[in-house]
Amino acid sequence: MSETPIELELSIQPSSQPGLERGLQSPLVFQLPLPTQDPPETHQQTQPQPEVQLSESNPEHRHQAKPLWIKHRRLLLLFGGFSLCAAFLGLIYYKHQNLQSRSNNQAGAATPCLSPACQRASAHLSTSADPFKEPCDYFLFTCGSDGLSPDSGGRQRGQGILGHQQNYNGKSVWSERRGHSKEREDRGVRQEKILDRKTVLLQYLREILESNNRGTSSAVQKAKGFYNSCLDTRAIETAGVEPFLTLIQKLGGWAASGQWNKTDFNSTLSLLMRDYATFPFFNLYVGKDPNEIARGSTKRYIQIDQPDLLIPIEWNTKTQKSQAKAQTLRRFLATCETYLALLGAPPSSSMLHVGMFMSLSSELAVATSPLQYRLSKGQLYQRMTIKELQIQAPAIDWLGCLQAAFHPLTLMEDDPVLVHNLPYMVQMTPIIGKWLNKHELSSSGPLQTYMVLNLLHTLMPALDSRFSEAAKNLSVTLGNTEEQVAPRWRHCVLETERGFDSVLTHLLRERTARREAEEVIQNIFSSFKSKLHELKWTDKTSPQSVMKKVHSLNPRLWTSNEISSEAELDLLFSKVSVNTHSFFSNYVQLLSLWQKRRRKLLTEQTERVDVLSVTPLLLGNELLFPVGMFVPPLFHPTYPRAMNYGVMGFLLAKDILHLLLPDIYSQSETVRAVGECVWAHYLTVTERTSRGGAFSLSAAQQQEVWVQYSALQIALQAYRQSLKNHPEDTSISGLSHTRLFLSSFSQVNCDFDPYHGFMPLEPSFLITVICAKSHLCPSRLQCPSKTQQHTLQTC
């Protein structure tokens, strides 16, 4: 077959057949304007001329020819009929060849995309495995975990979006038959790994923060300065523990490392909550009351929950109590001793303070309980006033602490709060009272030690690596062997977002091609609605309720108009001073900014944009798509639309199906039928049935297969509609439109989402299913196997 890309045509089957894309209204062919060319002479068809010429000038011949013509009339008519049929077949052959020629030359006629983004994409595609050149190896890897399939094929999830790396250690069915060239192995190793959409967004934010654009606002420069100070690990190591010890002195000191001024317990707690976002005895956040959300209320409340204790504990289902094992406590004790040694505490007092911290933590831990238990006991979202909470748990000055945390907002005793574990708050009071009144320990300040070590945990990301190494070693000894250390840049991007989220939101909004993103959103949602009409429902009420819900939604790009200019950003961060050589001081300011964000949430009525969100969400009747979804390399305004729809269109369609149809398996017969059909294709191509490696799909797996197969169909239909409205499109790597669409889709490698564990096969294999009974794909998509001779059903 020629190396020239073939334009892929998607035809619509008649209604009497279970054809692909039944929801599409009319067949379309993706074609670009072709250069004018004359048809090849070899395809010209001419009518045959009779070999005998009758002369009308000779009467004798005319007289003798008549009987001859009559005699052979049937033969001549038969010969003429064959000639007409030959001419007709020749015309069909010519048109077919001409169409083939047009398809083969179409990529050359397409306008190539030469933008920097397209050049990077072209270089990437050139080094990626091409599903149309090596289908036998490409499609047979498995997305699911090793436990999902008897023969997973070696390829593991999370090895890339838009250019994943092949795992050539695991051999596919065809690898033993065809072998792997050294060149292809080397190419696979060179390919870039992009784990998931969240990583793609973080990498894009990293590029923004590391860019050296002059003339930007002071707020943007401060965000970049904070990020760069986080990257400067040499300065962090040089500073050591001195910044933290200096901070402790501002809080009244600490008996373990020097002088303690015996500060008031509630005063110190208020300072920790206000300036350092540290909550040793209880958690504090802002959120809505779920009982009011159904009524459309946007009011937010202060919510008080049990703390995230530092001591490792587990839940005893028999005693219905939290507890810690002795072996676990010994390891935690050793880690705490390491912390105090790093802080310069003398060995003589170190053991005393560690012992007090462990004892107090253990007593508080007994009063805590896991979320599921509290939910079963109705202990979540208990509404009460601050005054009522004060009566139930008098050890804490609730009004004073809450006023400090939400300063300068004015709070009153009658203001309502939502409590999530009132029994813990009640039991916390005598525990705190007991440790406050222990006269033999009054000079040691056990509660001060407890609060200082909690503050240490809050500020540990800004301290030198010795602390993080100690924490990592504890985590490993407790059994968290799979914990991976994130690269420094990722950690710094996340920390920057905590304080400068408004800056990053503004920068993302300014760089997002909103018009192009909105067009993709609207086209995908329209195609999604047409897909719903194809479903066969188990009852009459299901489609009515689903369609009513879908048609009431307004899909749109989720952007924030909170900050409309850089001048407003500069004013918002005018009091922030970033020291490029002191990440610790910058981090302390970040905690203050974080607390201000929490305070602002209490007064805002609109939903705050989450700059790190990469999946759509429902908010009333609005279906919101965060701008963080539309970033390179997943999406770019200069990409050919075939590429944007093949990648982002598929991801959007998959997200919509998961969000709006979370459990459709029991409501539609189509889900099971399509899931089984796709799985039958997979078993046939991989020869698993004959090798005894087949297994049946669960309901959840069948639904996920249907979701991803439908998402590909939806994206393809949306792209076709886009081409119908705007026939022009550019090209990358000389690929024709539809081939670029499918090639781009094949790079999306097992998108990591909450449903990823239910996908038993590589999504790229869905191309094989779509191409089974159509002219979509080149013939070499088929593998040279006897199983490929079987007629495969169109799903």
Side-chain angles (χ1 to χ4, degrees):
M1 171 167 279
S2 171
E3 289 298 322
T4 307
I6 297 176
E7 181 58 28
L8 309 177
E9 176 182 347
L10 180 61
S11 59
I12 306 303
Q13 303 290 337
S15 59
S16 61
Q17 299 179 9
L20 173 69
E21 304 287 338
R22 286 172 294 186
L24 307 184
Q25 299 302 314
S26 60
L28 294 174
V29 180
F30 303 144
Q31 295 185 346
L32 291 172
L34 295 174
T36 303
Q37 61 181 13
D38 296 327
E41 294 182 3
T42 56
H43 300 293
Q44 297 292 341
Q45 300 292 332
T46 59
Q47 294 292 340
Q49 300 297 325
E51 294 181 2
V52 179
Q53 299 293 332
L54 302 180
S55 174
E56 303 208 21
S57 61
N58 191 329
E60 286 188 11
H61 287 176
R62 186 170 62 248
H63 177 74
Q64 294 177 359
K66 185 174 182 180
L68 184 64
W69 176 83
I70 293 175
K71 183 178 180 180
H72 298 285
R73 179 174 55 186
R74 292 184 179 180
L75 183 61
L76 290 173
L77 288 175
L78 184 61
F79 181 75
F82 276 119
S83 299
L84 288 174
C85 289
F88 181 71
L89 292 175
L91 180 62
I92 293 177
Y93 177 76
Y94 162 73
K95 288 187 174 182
H96 174 75
Q97 290 295 104
N98 190 43
L99 178 62
Q100 185 85 347
S101 177
R102 291 175 65 189
S103 299
N104 287 341
N105 289 307
Q106 205 167 48
T111 303
C113 178
L114 301 177
S115 69
C118 285
Q119 291 176 3
R120 288 192 294 270
S122 178
H124 183 76
L125 284 175
S126 66
T127 59
S128 299
D130 186 349
F132 295 101
K133 290 183 178 179
E134 299 170 340
C136 302
D137 294 315
Y138 191 86
F139 290 125
L140 303 186
F141 292 98
T142 302
C143 279
S145 61
D146 290 336
L148 185 65
S149 160
D151 181 14
S152 66
R155 182 173 180 181
Q156 297 303 311
R157 178 180 306 282
Q159 290 183 327
I161 290 179
L162 259 182
H164 49 273
Q165 176 173 322
Q166 294 279 4
N167 184 352
Y168 294 110
N169 293 326
K171 293 191 180 271
S172 72
V173 175
W174 307 103
S175 61
E176 296 177 358
R177 186 175 296 147
R178 302 179 66 224
H180 295 287
S181 67
K182 182 65 167 62
E183 178 184 357
R184 203 172 110 229
E185 290 182 0
D186 292 342
R187 182 187 63 199
V189 171
R190 289 196 304 268
Q191 290 177 0
E192 181 183 9
K193 291 184 180 181
I194 305 178
L195 299 180
D196 50 41
R197 280 187 270 180
K198 184 66 168 288
T199 300
V200 170
L201 175 58
L202 292 177
Q203 287 178 332
Y204 185 66
L205 293 174
R206 174 191 183 184
E207 292 178 7
I208 294 176
L209 291 170
E210 293 181 357
S211 63
N212 190 22
N213 298 333
R214 297 181 179 180
T216 54
S217 70
S218 63
V220 174
Q221 292 300 328
K222 289 175 182 178
K224 292 183 176 182
F226 177 89
Y227 172 78
N228 289 325
S229 69
C230 177
L231 290 178
D232 190 1
T233 54
R234 177 178 297 181
I236 296 173
E237 296 296 327
T238 301
V241 299
E242 288 305 317
F244 182 75
L245 296 177
T246 302
L247 178 60
I248 292 177
Q249 296 304 313
K250 294 180 180 179
L251 296 174
W254 180 31
S257 62
Q259 185 67 32
W260 176 48
N261 298 335
K262 296 186 178 181
T263 52
D264 176 69
F265 161 69
N266 274 293
S267 298
T268 303
L269 180 60
S270 296
L271 286 175
L272 292 179
M273 294 172 62
R274 185 190 70 186
D275 296 333
Y276 307 107
T278 299
F279 308 96
F281 298 98
F282 53 87
N283 256 328
L284 192 68
Y285 51 94
V286 173
K288 299 178 182 178
D289 185 345
N291 299 317
E292 296 181 351
I293 293 177
R295 301 195 297 268
S297 174
T298 59
K299 182 176 175 58
R300 295 184 178 87
Y301 298 89
I302 296 173
Q303 308 206 22
I304 304 171
D305 201 353
Q306 65 185 32
D308 296 321
L309 295 173
L310 304 183
I311 188 172
I313 57 175
E314 61 182 27
W315 180 250
N316 190 320
T317 55
K318 293 182 179 180
T319 63
Q320 298 288 286
K321 296 287 185 181
S322 294
Q323 63 182 26
K325 294 182 179 179
Q327 185 178 7
T328 300
L329 288 177
R330 283 195 295 269
R331 293 168 178 168
F332 183 66
L333 174 65
T335 302
C336 291
E337 290 178 336
T338 301
Y339 291 153
L340 265 69
L342 292 175
L343 293 174
S348 57
S349 63
S350 176
M351 194 59 192
L352 171 64
H353 287 275
V354 170
M356 293 188 300
F357 175 74
M358 294 280 290
S359 298
L360 178 53
S361 298
S362 299
E363 292 183 30
L364 292 174
V366 174
T368 63
S369 55
L371 178 62
Q372 195 61 37
Y373 177 81
R374 286 178 282 151
L375 183 62
S376 65
K377 296 297 183 179
Q379 296 176 356
L380 302 181
Y381 299 101
Q382 290 184 260
R383 182 188 294 263
M384 60 180 58
T385 64
I386 297 176
K387 183 178 182 180
E388 291 171 338
L389 179 60
Q390 187 67 54
I391 295 173
Q392 294 279 356
I396 303 294
D397 177 12
W398 291 104
L399 182 60
C401 288
L402 294 178
Q403 283 180 334
F406 292 95
H407 178 80
L409 297 181
T410 301
L411 297 177
M412 308 295 292
E413 286 185 333
D414 294 330
D415 288 338
V417 294
L418 300 179
V419 180
H420 295 281
N421 191 351
L422 184 59
Y424 167 82
M425 306 300 165
V426 173
Q427 295 179 54
M428 175 184 64
T429 289
I431 295 174
I432 292 177
K434 181 184 71 173
W435 286 92
L436 272 176
N437 298 322
K438 278 192 174 183
H439 298 290
E440 67 276 13
L441 298 176
S442 59
S443 60
S444 301
L447 293 179
Q448 183 78 354
T449 294
Y450 182 83
M451 290 188 287
V452 165
L453 289 180
N454 273 270
L455 178 62
L456 173 67
H457 183 265
T458 301
L459 292 170
M460 199 173 291
L463 294 174
D464 65 79
S465 59
R466 294 174 297 173
F467 291 91
S468 58
E469 282 297 322
K472 178 184 175 182
N473 291 337
L474 173 63
S475 179
V476 171
T477 57
L478 294 178
N480 300 325
T481 56
E482 296 182 358
E483 182 176 340
Q484 297 181 352
V485 179
R488 185 67 185 180
W489 70 263
R490 183 186 180 106
H491 166 76
C492 293
V493 170
L494 291 173
E495 294 294 359
T496 304
E497 187 274 336
R498 290 177 64 191
F500 296 89
D501 63 314
S502 299
V503 175
L504 297 185
T505 300
H506 175 75
L507 292 174
L508 266 184
R509 186 185 64 183
E510 292 298 308
R511 286 164 171 76
T512 300
R514 280 177 276 186
R515 182 178 62 83
E516 290 82 357
E518 287 281 7
E519 178 184 342
V520 174
I521 290 171
Q522 297 300 327
N523 288 342
I524 290 294
F525 192 71
S526 176
S527 181
F528 161 74
K529 289 190 292 186
S530 69
K531 187 68 179 176
L532 292 182
H533 291 289
E534 300 179 27
L535 296 178
K536 294 182 180 179
W537 302 86
T538 55
D539 57 70
K540 296 181 180 180
T541 58
S542 295
Q544 295 175 357
S545 60
V546 170
M547 295 306 297
K548 182 179 179 181
K549 174 184 178 181
V550 169
H551 283 289
S552 68
L553 296 177
N554 173 36
R556 67 176 179 86
L557 192 65
W558 191 22
T559 58
S560 173
N561 296 322
E562 176 189 356
I563 303 296
S564 58
S565 67
E566 291 188 346
E568 293 181 17
L569 270 180
D570 293 344
L571 180 62
L572 182 64
F573 290 91
S574 58
K575 295 183 179 180
V576 176
S577 177
V578 173
N579 185 342
T580 56
H581 301 292
S582 177
F583 179 57
F584 186 89
S585 63
N586 294 338
Y587 196 82
V588 169
Q589 290 188 83
L590 177 146
L591 297 176
S592 180
L593 290 173
W594 196 19
Q595 196 58 23
K596 288 179 181 178
R597 184 201 299 185
R598 190 194 309 266
R599 178 195 319 144
K600 196 171 184 179
L601 279 175
L602 191 60
T603 59
E604 287 181 342
Q605 297 301 314
T606 58
E607 194 71 22
R608 190 179 184 89
V609 173
D610 181 4
V611 66
L612 296 181
S613 178
V614 290
T615 54
L617 72 155
L618 275 175
L619 187 62
N621 289 332
E622 289 194 307
L623 180 58
L624 303 176
F625 296 85
V627 294
M629 300 178 68
F630 300 89
V631 299
L634 300 179
F635 180 88
H636 197 275
T638 67
Y639 283 165
R641 279 174 293 144
M643 194 166 188
N644 280 332
Y645 278 89
V647 178
M648 185 50 60
F650 166 75
L651 295 176
L652 289 178
K654 185 159 67 82
D655 289 340
I656 293 173
L657 288 167
H658 280 148
L659 186 63
L660 301 183
L661 304 175
D663 185 18
I664 195 177
Y665 183 82
S666 60
Q667 304 175 47
S668 173
E669 301 172 0
T670 307
V671 176
R672 181 182 67 258
V674 172
E676 290 178 349
C677 179
V678 173
W679 186 240
H681 275 258
Y682 186 75
L683 295 178
T684 301
V685 172
T686 59
E687 297 181 314
R688 296 196 179 194
T689 303
S690 61
R691 293 185 293 113
F695 69 99
S696 299
L697 296 184
S698 66
Q701 290 171 333
Q702 287 181 352
Q703 177 162 309
E704 185 60 21
V705 169
W706 172 82
V707 164
Q708 300 211 24
Y709 184 61
S710 299
L712 177 58
Q713 292 177 312
I714 289 170
L716 185 55
Q717 179 181 353
Y719 177 57
R720 293 181 58 184
Q721 186 61 40
S722 173
L723 274 182
K724 182 179 179 180
N725 297 334
H726 308 285
E728 73 286 348
D729 197 6
T730 55
S731 173
I732 284 183
S733 299
L735 297 180
S736 58
H737 290 167
T738 314
R739 180 164 178 179
L740 179 58
F741 173 93
L742 294 172
S743 295
S744 299
F745 160 73
S746 71
Q747 306 292 308
V748 182
N749 180 43
C750 306
D751 177 48
F752 194 91
D753 59 29
Y755 306 90
H756 72 279
F758 298 116
M759 189 62 178
L761 48 86
E762 165 67 62
S764 299
F765 182 79
L766 300 176
I767 300 177
T768 304
V769 184
I770 281 186
C771 298
K773 273 194 174 181
S774 70
H775 300 291
L776 266 175
C777 305
S779 60
R780 61 179 160 194
L781 188 65
Q782 304 297 326
C783 294
S785 168
K786 293 180 180 180
T787 59
Q788 296 291 342
Q789 305 299 325
H790 297 294
T791 301
L792 296 177
Q793 177 187 358
T794 300
C795 299

